[in-house]
């Protein structure tokens, strides 16, 4: 055992924060007042005379008895408070010092702390440990007055802190803390009695009767007999987790009750874990102490014997607690707190147990934040903060790290300056002076000044173990206009990969490394495996097999799931990608034959963004086929049993239903409202008909003029252009669409299938379409089947790519696909001033977007760039020159000879050479859906 006078080997104790120092000095006499500060900033867009608000800042005033101070302006309230406290400390002349104890000093303080705990002064205190002292006085027989060492080691933070100075191994093995308490008790042998058999301590001199009589009594309404539900977590994988009822009357020590449930004599044979879940909770695991523990003449012998114990490891309990647990364990929420002298207790059901497990997984943390385990999914993309619901990605990642006892994630953000000649470009260069590094994603103060600049940001996230060993690093190439968006998007990438990894934690190192690279993540395999070895014991909280149980409506195409709607009269808007929808839903567990339904989950108002992956794919697929005020009812196959139990209020009844083997999930949903994306709202506010319809009519005009027989739509999405073309009389006989979103293609297939079949059945068909086909693939890749089409369209697509990809797309289309005519449209960046000046602010708009100093916002959060007329003209002219095409410019929305031109600018490329195209490259696209009039007539 160390006994030198040098610095302790345990971790350094960090100095107190400025607020903590002020509190020690002045207590409640220190008064903090925080006020919001607004700054009006200059517009960055020439000709725009709309005053804009700067970022929201906070300033704090600290009033002390003798003087007051005021902080600078900060982005976060707590930073302003700490700054004010720091100014006060400087004015008071206080010099904070680090508390570095030597091993000898730590021993002295440990002995002093133990002496105080057994003193008369501590007995009536409101403290998590004092309740155990009072309860010990009611223990019967030879146990009367004895305090189990495990209670002292678990419930007194000061004891644990001092033990870490003596040995850094204390945190990983609570038995070692008990060994140091024994050693300290030997120095108090004139006042304390140690029972080696009971591993307990007791005062040699009993407390005076008057002291015992003066102890605080239970509250008047506190019950004499206490019963609460707990969970038995078996060590054997063959046994199931089950609830147990614990009875702790006012005369029984609750640790003795738990000991009997575990099958041991009394509390001295029980060990207690750290808190499970929130640090403020009293939920802990209780398990049997090693039977082979021997207390020798020195604590070194004790430590050796205790740490060498090996038994049947309880993997789930070990994972939950972060310390090795052998044998069965009891998970209970009971104990004494700093709020009352009464024993705190609450029922811990199977539902609570499975929610604790869910909270160990990123998707589970998000589901719980939305109170929608069955309906919600961790979104696949971070679009805007105004559309995000539930905990933000940064907060989820911080929670995940705490749950797994890792260090707080470290976020490093780089500010990047666009090239000066192209406003809004995304081809960027780094600035060496713009790096900020924060824990918990906090924004550095310098970011406040940068928010108003025309800068964008990239973020890197690093996750370390508690020992500061790097586990993984995520460094995406994407950049964002706001620092906080970069942080959340990067955090979401890490969370998405962790979800996949935890779902298949037994992958080989090569598989893990490969999957991580797809998310721009570099891992340290050895550290990753070390930290997450036990994860394979956890239930899987993916939706898994939750698919529609009904048959397909459109059997002629594949990979598209449908449902049968129980339709009511409908009206209003149909949701599209980017729309924010609000639904009422209820999910039941139902039997097929007995018509028994148990309510599991539901919400009167549940919001999510279409296309972001924020809900079950099954639910979204149904909602996207509905209109406002329409209702639907559909059934789904069961997810994992653990997911069902995580939402079940009556677990016994649910388990009984599940055992029948004939259960399904039934969902009822009503679409309450749809909020269309900001870009659509702006267009609808100024243009009639909407710009989208004007673009279709423009394409139809060129189809008629050219007598085109075939058309391919690059980036067809949900098929809005192809669907619209079916309503016009044209020469088209063959249409095709390409997109990378299978979900969007599925919706396009359903719509086109219905309308094309309806056209055939009509007495006078509107169009002459003979075949239609949808491909899943990237428009940056060639496919010989799409070569030589008469006309190709790419309407409002290229701005969703990185700018260099948009340039590559133009070269690929004109050099390889070689259509006779190519029509490309994209937003005119110069027109945004008119759109944003004329569009009213909506309640769901991003508040940061309103206050941010910005020349002009892009029309859609997903736009990577928006070109001015000059930039678009330069791109199209150079492209046409390289590939022997003519190009003409036009547009829709606005007037050509009036500033700032068209709202949507269009380039029409016409091929000069009409010779046949030789397609000598391979087929890269997958056919999602194919229709032929000959097969459906």
């Amino acid at each position: 055992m160390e006994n030198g006078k040098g610095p302790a080997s345990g971790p350094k104790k960090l100095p107190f924060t400025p607020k903590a120092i002020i509190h020690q000095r002045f207590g409640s006499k220190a008064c903090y007042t925080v006020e919001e500060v607004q700054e009006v900033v200059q517009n960055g867009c020439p000709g725009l005379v709309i005053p804009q608000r700067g970022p929201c800042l906070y300033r704090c005033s600290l009033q002390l008895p003798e003087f007051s101070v005021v902080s600078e302006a900060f982005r976060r309230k707590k930073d302003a408070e700490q700054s004010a406290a720091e100014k006060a400390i400087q004015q008071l002349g206080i010099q904070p010092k680090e508390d570095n104890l030597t091993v000898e000093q730590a021993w002295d303080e440990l002995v002093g702390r133990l002496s105080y705990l057994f003193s008369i002064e501590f007995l009536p205190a409101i403290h998590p440990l004092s309740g155990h002292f009072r309860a010990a006085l009611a223990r019967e027989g030879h146990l009367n007055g004895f305090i189990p060492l495990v209670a002292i080691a678990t419930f007194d933070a000061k004891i644990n802190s001092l033990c870490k100075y003596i040995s850094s191994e204390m945190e990983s093995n609570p038995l070692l803390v008990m060994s140091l308490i024994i050693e300290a008790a030997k120095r108090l042998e004139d006042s304390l009695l140690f029972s080696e058999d009971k591993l307990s301590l007791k005062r040699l001199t009993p407390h005076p009767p008057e002291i015992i009589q003066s102890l605080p009594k239970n509250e008047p309404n506190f019950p004499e007999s206490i019963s609460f539900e707990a969970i038995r977590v078996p060590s054997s994988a063959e046994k199931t987790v089950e609830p147990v009822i614990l009875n702790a009357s006012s005369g029984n020590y609750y640790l003795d009750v738990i000991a009997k449930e575990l099958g041991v004599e009394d509390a001295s044979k029980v060990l207690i874990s750290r808190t499970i879940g929130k640090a403020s909770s009293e939920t802990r695991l209780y398990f049997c102490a090693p039977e082979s523990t021997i207390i020798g003449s020195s604590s070194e012998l004790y430590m050796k014997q205790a740490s060498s114990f090996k038994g049947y490891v309880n993997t789930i309990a070990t994972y939950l607690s972060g310390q090795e647990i052998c044998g069965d364990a009891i998970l209970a929420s009971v104990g004494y707190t700093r709020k009352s002298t009464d024993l705190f207790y609450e029922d811990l059901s199977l539902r609570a147990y499975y929610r604790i497990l869910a909270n160990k997984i990123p998707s589970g943390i998000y589901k719980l934040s939305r109170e929608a385990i069955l309906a919600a999914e961790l979104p696949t993309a971070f679009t805007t903060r105004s559309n995000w619901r539930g905990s933000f990605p940064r907060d989820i990642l911080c929670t995940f790290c705490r749950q797994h006892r890792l260090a707080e994630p470290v976020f490093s953000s780089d500010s990047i300056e666009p090239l000066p000649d192209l406003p809004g470009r995304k081809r960027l260069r780094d600035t060496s002076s713009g790096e900020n590094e924060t824990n918990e994603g906090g924004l550095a103060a310098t970011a406040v000044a940068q928010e108003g600049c025309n800068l964008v940001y990239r973020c890197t996230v690093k996750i370390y173990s508690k020992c500061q060993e790097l586990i993984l690093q995520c460094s995406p190439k994407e950049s964002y206009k706001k620092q906080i968006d970069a942080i959340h998007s990067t955090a979401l990438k890490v969370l998405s990969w962790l979800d996949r990894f935890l779902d298949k934690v037994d992958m080989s190192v090569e598989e893990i490394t490969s999957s991580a690279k797809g998310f721009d993540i570099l891992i340290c395999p050895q550290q990753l495996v070390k930290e997450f070895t036990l994860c394979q014991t956890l239930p899987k909280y993916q939706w898994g097999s939750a698919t529609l149980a009904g048959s397909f409506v459109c059997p002629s195409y594949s990979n598209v799931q449908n449902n049968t709607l129980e339709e009511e009269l409908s009206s209003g808007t149909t949701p599209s990608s980017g729309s924010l929808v609000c639904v009422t839903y209820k999910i039941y567990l139902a039997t097929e034959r007995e018509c028994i339904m148990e309510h599991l989950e539901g919400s009167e108002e549940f919001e999510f963004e279409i296309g972001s992956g924020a809900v079950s794919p099954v639910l979204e697929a149904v909602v996207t086929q509905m209109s406002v005020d329409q209702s639907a009812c559909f059934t789904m196959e069961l997810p994992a049993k653990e997911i069902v139990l995580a939402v079940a209020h009556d677990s016994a009844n649910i388990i009984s239903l599940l055992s029948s083997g004939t259960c399904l999930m039934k969902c009822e949903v009503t679409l309450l409202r749809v909020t269309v994306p900001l870009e659509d709202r702006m267009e609808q506010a100024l243009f009639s008909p909407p710009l989208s319809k004007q673009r279709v009519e423009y394409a139809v005009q060129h189809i008629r003029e050219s007598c085109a027989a075939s058309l391919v739509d690059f980036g067809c999405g949900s098929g809005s252009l192809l669907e619209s073309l079916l309503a016009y009389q044209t020469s088209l006989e063959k249409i095709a669409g390409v997109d990378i979103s299978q979900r969007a293609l599925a919706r396009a297939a359903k719509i086109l299938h219905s309308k094309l079949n309806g056209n055939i059945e009509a007495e006078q068909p509107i169009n002459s379409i003979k075949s239609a086909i949808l491909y899943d693939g990237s428009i940056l890749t060639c496919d010989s089947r799409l070569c030589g089409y008469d006309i190709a369209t790419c309407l409002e697509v290229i701005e969703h790519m990185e700018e260099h990809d948009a340039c590559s797309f133009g070269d690929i289309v004109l050099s390889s696909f070689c259509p006779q005519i190519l029509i490309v449209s994209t937003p005119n960046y110069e027109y945004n001033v008119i759109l944003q000046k004329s569009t009213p602010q909506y309640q769901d708009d991003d508040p940061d977007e309103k206050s941010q100093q910005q020349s002009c916002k892009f029309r859609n959060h997903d736009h990577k760039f928006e070109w001015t007329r000059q930039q678009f003209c330069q791109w199209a002219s150079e492209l046409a020159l390289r590939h022997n095409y003519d190009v003409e410019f036009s547009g829709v929305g606005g007037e050509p000879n009036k500033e700032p031109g068209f709202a949507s600018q269009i380039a029409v490329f016409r091929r000069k050479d009409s010779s046949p195209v030789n397609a000598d490259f391979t087929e890269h696209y997958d056919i999602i859906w194919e229709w032929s009039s000959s097969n459906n007539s």
Side-chain angles (χ1 to χ4, degrees):
M1 185 61 58
E2 297 181 64
N3 53 15
K5 296 185 179 181
S9 60
K12 270 189 178 181
K13 185 176 181 180
L14 296 178
F16 289 110
T17 63
K19 279 192 70 176
I21 295 172
I22 292 296
H23 179 74
Q24 285 182 334
R25 183 77 173 266
F26 297 99
S28 60
K29 295 179 181 179
C31 181
Y32 294 87
T33 304
V34 179
E35 60 180 358
E36 186 174 334
V37 181
Q38 288 294 339
E39 297 181 2
V40 179
V41 296
Q42 296 297 319
N43 289 318
C45 181
L48 184 62
V49 291
I50 303 174
Q52 298 187 13
R53 297 170 60 191
C56 182
L57 305 177
Y58 298 96
R59 183 176 290 123
C60 177
S61 173
L62 171 57
Q63 181 67 51
L64 297 175
E66 299 178 0
F67 62 91
S68 63
V69 292
V70 179
S71 73
E72 303 297 333
F74 288 86
R75 189 69 178 269
R76 298 188 298 179
K77 293 180 181 179
K78 63 181 182 181
D79 292 339
E81 291 175 343
Q82 293 289 0
S83 174
E86 189 172 3
K87 283 192 170 186
I89 289 172
Q90 293 173 354
Q91 193 162 334
L92 290 166
I94 299 175
Q95 296 295 328
K97 296 182 179 179
E98 291 189 0
D99 186 9
N100 295 324
L101 297 178
T102 65
V103 173
E104 183 176 328
Q105 289 172 334
W107 271 114
D108 291 341
E109 291 204 19
L110 179 61
V111 172
R113 179 64 179 176
L114 196 61
S115 176
Y116 168 70
L117 293 178
F118 282 87
S119 68
I120 293 175
E121 292 77 17
F122 180 71
L123 188 62
I126 300 179
H127 186 277
L129 184 57
S130 62
H132 291 264
F133 280 85
R134 293 189 292 271
L137 296 176
R139 297 177 82 183
E140 297 179 352
H142 61 284
L143 294 177
N144 181 264
F146 273 106
I147 303 296
L149 290 178
V150 65
I152 301 174
T154 303
F155 298 108
D156 189 67
K158 182 70 173 178
I159 289 282
N160 275 272
S161 177
L162 293 170
C163 287
K164 290 173 189 177
Y165 281 99
I166 298 171
S167 173
S168 59
E169 299 177 8
M170 294 298 111
E171 188 171 6
S172 60
N173 194 337
L175 286 173
L176 304 186
V177 179
M178 295 166 60
S179 73
L180 296 188
I181 295 174
I182 294 171
E183 194 73 15
K186 291 178 180 178
R187 303 188 187 185
L188 297 169
E189 56 186 8
D190 58 337
S191 59
L192 297 182
L193 174 63
F194 170 60
S195 172
E196 185 173 319
D197 179 48
K198 297 301 180 184
L199 291 180
S200 303
L201 287 171
K202 176 182 180 179
R203 275 173 58 101
L204 281 176
T205 305
H207 289 290
E210 61 272 15
I211 295 298
I212 296 177
Q213 292 175 2
S214 66
L215 292 177
K217 306 297 182 183
N218 291 335
E219 294 294 332
N221 56 352
F222 194 80
E224 288 293 325
S225 180
I226 300 171
S227 295
F228 56 93
E229 188 176 353
I231 298 295
R232 177 182 288 274
V233 183
S235 58
S236 172
E238 299 175 358
K239 297 181 180 179
T240 59
V241 174
E242 60 182 9
V244 295
I245 301 297
L246 300 179
N247 297 297
S249 61
S250 58
N252 291 339
Y253 184 28
Y254 81 89
L255 287 181
D256 287 335
V257 174
I258 293 176
K260 288 181 173 58
E261 183 65 36
L262 288 170
V264 294
E265 185 179 354
D266 56 62
S268 64
K269 306 299 183 183
V270 175
L271 294 181
I272 308 171
S273 76
R274 308 177 182 95
T275 55
I276 306 298
K278 293 183 179 179
S280 58
S281 74
E282 287 301 318
T283 304
R284 299 175 187 267
L285 282 160
Y286 300 82
F287 52 101
C288 296
E291 294 180 2
S292 59
T293 300
I294 300 173
I295 304 299
S297 58
S298 71
S299 56
E300 287 186 4
L301 175 62
Y302 174 85
M303 291 166 62
K304 180 179 179 181
Q305 295 289 343
S307 61
S308 65
F309 170 76
K310 298 294 179 183
Y312 198 71
V313 176
N314 189 324
T315 52
I316 291 184
T318 298
Y319 181 78
L320 287 175
S321 65
Q323 61 194 83
E324 188 175 81
I325 294 179
C326 297
D328 289 0
I330 299 293
L331 182 67
S333 183
V334 61
Y336 296 98
T337 69
R338 295 182 181 275
K339 298 180 180 180
S340 172
T341 57
D342 293 337
L343 179 67
F344 166 83
Y345 64 94
E346 63 181 354
D347 289 332
L348 194 69
S349 61
L350 280 175
R351 180 175 185 265
Y353 167 75
Y354 284 111
R355 284 175 172 247
I356 289 173
L357 285 178
N359 209 37
K360 303 283 283 187
I361 301 172
S363 58
I365 298 172
Y366 178 76
K367 289 169 180 281
L368 290 171
S369 75
R370 297 225 61 191
E371 284 297 322
I373 287 181
L374 297 177
E377 292 286 348
L378 180 68
T380 55
F382 183 82
T383 53
T384 64
R385 277 174 286 172
S386 61
N387 279 8
W388 186 274
R389 298 295 183 269
S391 295
F392 284 101
R394 178 190 64 187
D395 302 324
I396 296 174
L397 186 58
C398 292
T399 299
F400 176 84
C401 289
R402 295 184 196 116
Q403 289 289 333
H404 290 263
R405 294 177 176 83
L406 306 175
E408 291 292 315
V410 177
F411 297 82
S412 303
S413 58
D414 297 322
S415 60
I416 303 169
E417 183 180 336
L419 292 176
D421 60 328
L422 295 180
R425 285 182 69 126
K426 295 291 282 186
R427 187 177 298 160
L428 309 165
R429 58 184 174 87
D430 294 342
T431 56
S432 59
S433 61
E435 183 171 314
N436 302 310
E437 186 167 304
T438 61
N439 281 349
E440 300 184 9
L443 295 178
T446 54
V448 176
Q450 293 173 345
E451 285 285 351
C453 303
N454 197 22
L455 297 176
V456 290
Y457 298 89
R458 287 183 184 144
C459 178
T460 295
V461 176
K462 296 178 182 179
I463 296 180
Y464 295 88
S465 68
K466 279 291 186 182
C467 300
Q468 293 302 307
E469 296 168 319
L470 182 64
I471 298 174
L472 64 84
Q473 173 177 323
C474 180
S475 304
K477 298 181 178 65
E478 294 87 355
S479 52
Y480 301 86
K481 291 186 292 181
K482 290 183 285 186
Q483 186 184 33
I484 192 65
D485 288 350
I487 289 171
H488 285 316
S489 297
T490 307
L492 184 58
K493 270 204 169 187
V494 177
L495 293 168
S496 299
W497 180 78
L498 284 170
D499 238 13
R500 295 192 182 188
F501 167 68
L502 293 174
D503 190 47
K504 193 179 179 183
V505 76
D506 56 347
M507 290 188 292
S508 66
V509 172
E510 291 75 17
E511 290 176 320
I512 295 173
T513 304
S514 176
S515 68
K517 283 184 178 178
F519 289 81
D520 300 316
I521 295 174
L522 296 177
I523 63 168
C524 301
Q526 186 176 357
Q527 292 303 322
L528 186 75
V529 172
K530 175 184 174 183
E531 295 293 339
F532 296 102
T533 299
L534 291 171
C535 290
Q536 53 191 310
T537 64
L538 290 176
K540 308 306 179 189
Y541 275 81
Q542 304 294 334
W543 186 265
S545 61
T547 57
L548 287 164
S551 60
F552 293 108
V553 172
C554 303
S556 60
Y557 61 88
S558 60
N559 297 333
V560 183
Q561 293 180 334
N562 285 277
N563 63 292
T564 302
L565 298 178
E566 296 178 358
E567 298 190 2
E568 300 176 354
L569 292 176
S570 63
S571 63
T573 308
T574 298
S576 59
S577 182
S579 299
L580 186 67
V581 302
C582 181
V583 302
T584 292
Y585 80 94
K586 293 179 181 179
I587 299 179
Y588 301 90
L589 180 65
T591 56
E592 292 179 346
R593 298 179 181 177
E594 300 179 22
C595 297
I596 300 176
M597 289 177 44
E598 284 286 336
H599 180 262
L600 296 177
E601 181 180 286
S603 174
E604 291 300 317
E605 289 198 355
F606 184 75
E607 291 186 319
F608 61 92
E609 181 180 356
I610 296 292
S612 67
V615 294
S616 158
V618 178
L619 179 59
E620 180 168 305
V622 172
V623 171
T624 53
Q625 299 174 43
M626 299 169 62
S627 298
V628 173
D629 295 330
Q630 188 176 18
S631 297
C633 179
F634 55 95
T635 56
M636 299 172 289
E637 295 180 3
L638 281 176
K641 174 184 176 182
E642 293 82 5
I643 298 179
V644 178
L645 290 175
V647 296
H649 292 277
D650 186 350
S651 57
N653 198 19
I654 294 298
I655 291 174
S656 176
L657 288 176
L658 290 173
S659 63
S660 68
T662 58
C663 291
L664 284 173
M665 305 281 284
K666 183 175 181 180
C667 182
E668 299 173 353
V669 60
T670 301
L671 182 58
L672 300 179
R673 59 180 178 269
V674 178
T675 305
V676 297
L678 177 62
E679 181 180 14
D680 296 340
R681 294 204 303 262
M682 289 192 297
E683 292 183 355
Q684 292 170 9
L686 282 184
F687 303 104
S688 180
L691 283 182
S692 57
K693 187 173 182 180
Q694 292 187 42
R695 287 190 289 266
V696 172
E697 292 174 346
Y698 187 92
V700 169
Q701 176 187 343
H702 282 272
I703 293 169
R704 288 173 172 170
E705 290 176 356
S706 64
C707 298
S710 58
L711 176 142
V712 56
D713 186 20
F714 291 108
C716 66
S718 299
S720 58
L721 172 63
L722 298 177
E723 177 192 3
S724 300
L725 290 175
L726 299 182
Y728 294 87
Q729 290 185 346
T730 66
S731 56
L732 289 176
E733 297 180 356
K734 180 180 181 181
I735 59 174
V738 185
D739 205 274
I740 59 173
S741 171
Q742 289 192 2
R743 186 176 298 171
L745 290 169
R747 179 169 172 78
K750 178 183 181 301
I751 296 171
L752 293 176
H753 181 91
S754 175
K755 294 210 169 184
L756 286 169
N757 282 346
N759 184 67
I760 291 178
E761 296 170 359
E763 294 183 3
Q764 295 182 341
I766 298 176
N767 58 67
S768 56
I769 301 294
K770 296 180 179 179
S771 68
I773 190 168
L774 295 177
Y775 293 101
D776 173 21
S778 169
I779 60 177
L780 298 176
T781 306
C782 299
D783 191 297
S784 58
R785 292 168 291 186
L786 292 179
C787 288
Y789 271 62
D790 293 335
I791 191 166
T793 56
C794 184
L795 306 184
E796 309 297 292
V797 173
I798 61 172
E799 63 273 8
H800 294 271
M801 311 176 184
E802 295 292 342
E803 192 176 14
H804 62 87
D805 287 334
C807 296
S808 299
F809 163 73
D811 288 323
I812 291 170
V813 172
L814 297 188
S815 65
S816 300
F817 290 111
C818 304
Q820 293 296 324
I821 298 174
L822 170 66
I823 302 176
V824 178
S825 75
T826 190
N828 174 11
Y829 178 76
E830 297 167 86
Y831 207 93
N832 291 1
V833 176
I834 295 177
L835 289 174
Q836 292 163 23
K837 184 188 300 184
S838 303
T839 303
Q841 296 292 340
Y842 289 79
Q843 184 176 2
D844 65 311
D845 288 346
D846 192 331
D848 266 16
E849 289 282 2
K850 298 177 187 177
S851 61
Q852 182 181 3
Q853 181 182 358
Q854 183 90 9
S855 55
C856 279
K857 294 181 292 185
F858 289 167
R859 299 185 196 177
N860 189 294
H861 62 80
D862 192 46
H863 287 185
K864 303 300 188 297
F865 67 90
E866 289 181 1
W867 277 331
T868 63
R869 288 169 291 174
Q870 180 182 354
Q871 294 161 2
F872 182 59
C873 180
Q874 179 181 349
W875 170 78
S877 299
E878 293 176 355
L879 187 63
L881 184 62
R882 286 198 299 272
H883 300 289
N884 199 27
Y885 274 75
D886 289 324
V887 63
E888 61 185 45
F889 298 94
S890 184
V892 294
E895 301 177 24
N897 299 320
K898 183 178 179 181
E899 290 296 323
F902 292 108
S904 186
Q905 50 192 344
I906 299 176
V908 180
F909 300 84
R910 299 181 186 276
R911 195 164 139 227
K912 295 179 181 180
D913 183 6
S914 59
S915 59
V917 178
N918 295 320
D920 56 356
F921 43 89
T922 58
E923 300 176 355
H924 293 283
Y925 297 163
D926 295 325
I927 298 177
I928 288 294
W929 168 79
E930 190 169 10
W931 180 90
S932 172
S933 60
S934 59
N935 294 333
N936 290 274
S937 57

